[in-house]
Amino acid sequence: LTVSQWADEHRMLTSKASSEPGRWRTARVPFAREIMDCLSVTSPLRSVTLMKAGQIAGTEIALNWAGYVMDHAPASMLVVVPTLDVRERWVKQRFDPMLEETPKLAAIFDPKRRRARANSEGIKDYPGGMVIFGGANSPASLASMPIKYSINDEIDSFPWEVGDEGDPLELIRTRQKTFRHRKELNVSTPTIKGASRIEGLYLDGDQRRYHVPCPHCHDLLVLHWSANA
C-alpha cells in the first residue's frame, strides 16, 4: 500500500483545517501523489524535500504520511515545527482533528487511549509506535530516544543553532541513525534565496518539478508565473 492509496481510501478532512471537508482526494492535488508515494514503505528513498508555495497541501501531505504510518506501518515518528508554541497549535488544529475524523485512526486512538497519561500535547502513543511532537527551538524536545521517521514542517523558520546543541536538523537526523530504513520529510516555503534551508535541501536532491500538459500540443512543461500574476 502506498501513502496516496491509503489517503484516498481512509483520510478525512475536517472543516477546521480545510476549505473542502470530506474525503481526501489526491486527484485534487495531483502533484502530491509522487511526493507521498516516495514516503511509502516500498520506496527506497530516505529523504523527501518539498519546497513549495503557501497553502498548497504541504502539511496535509505530512499528515497523510503520519496517518499511513500509524495505521499501516507502525513505528516511532518525530514531528518538528519551528517552536513549542507552534507545536501546540499544530497538534490541536491539524493533528487531533485528523485522528477524530478519520475512522481508521479514531479506532486506534479510542477515547480511553486519548485520555491515557501517555498521550498528551507532546506525544501520541499507540500500538506498535508513537508520534512525538517537538519544537526546533527546544533541544529537549529533539533529544533522547531513537526515531525512525521525521516530519520537519516549515523548516525555513527553524533556527540554525539551538542553544549549545547546534543545528536542530542534525539533532533530528542523529536520532534516526540506527534505522536502516529511516525517512524524513522536509516541507517549507522558501525565504531568502541563498540563505534558505529548504532551498539548500532541494538543491541537494534531484530537483524534480511538477510538469503539466500543454492544452494545445500536450507537451509536458513547468508553469512559470509572471511577477504580477
Side-chain angles (χ1 to χ4, degrees), residues 44-166:
L45 300 182
R46 291 185 179 180
S47 181
V48 177
T49 293
L50 173 58
M51 183 170 66
K52 65 178 188 65
Q55 300 300 313
I56 62 163
T59 299
E60 297 302 333
I61 289 171
L63 288 168
N64 285 341
W65 183 35
Y68 167 89
V69 168
M70 288 185 284
D71 178 46
H72 185 66
S76 55
M77 173 176 275
L78 177 64
V79 178
V80 183
V81 293
T83 68
L84 293 179
D85 288 340
V86 173
R87 177 186 76 172
E88 182 179 357
R89 295 196 301 272
W90 205 95
V91 173
K92 290 182 178 179
Q93 295 176 5
R94 309 303 292 270
F95 195 83
D96 284 347
M98 177 181 72
L99 299 186
E100 295 166 3
E101 298 295 331
T102 302
K104 271 281 188 177
L105 302 180
I108 295 173
F109 289 90
D110 55 40
K112 182 178 179 181
R113 183 172 295 278
R114 291 182 199 172
R115 291 193 298 268
R117 185 177 299 177
N119 286 305
S120 64
E121 167 187 306
I123 187 170
K124 304 289 184 182
D125 186 73
Y126 64 95
M130 65 176 63
V131 184
I132 301 170
F133 302 90
N137 66 336
S138 169
S141 68
L142 306 180
S144 190
M145 64 174 294
I147 292 292
K148 186 174 184 179
Y149 302 128
S150 73
I151 293 172
N152 306 311
D153 198 16
E154 287 304 332
I155 198 170
D156 259 29
S157 295
F158 284 19
W160 288 96
E161 291 193 11
V162 53
D164 296 327
E165 303 293 331

Side-chain angles (χ1 to χ4, degrees), residues 7 61 81 85-86 116 120 129 145 163 169 177 191 200 209 217 220 225:
I61 289 171
V81 293
D85 288 340
V86 173
S120 64
M145 64 174 294
L169 184 58
K177 283 184 177 179
T191 49
R209 305 179 73 181
C217 69
L220 292 174
W225 302 94

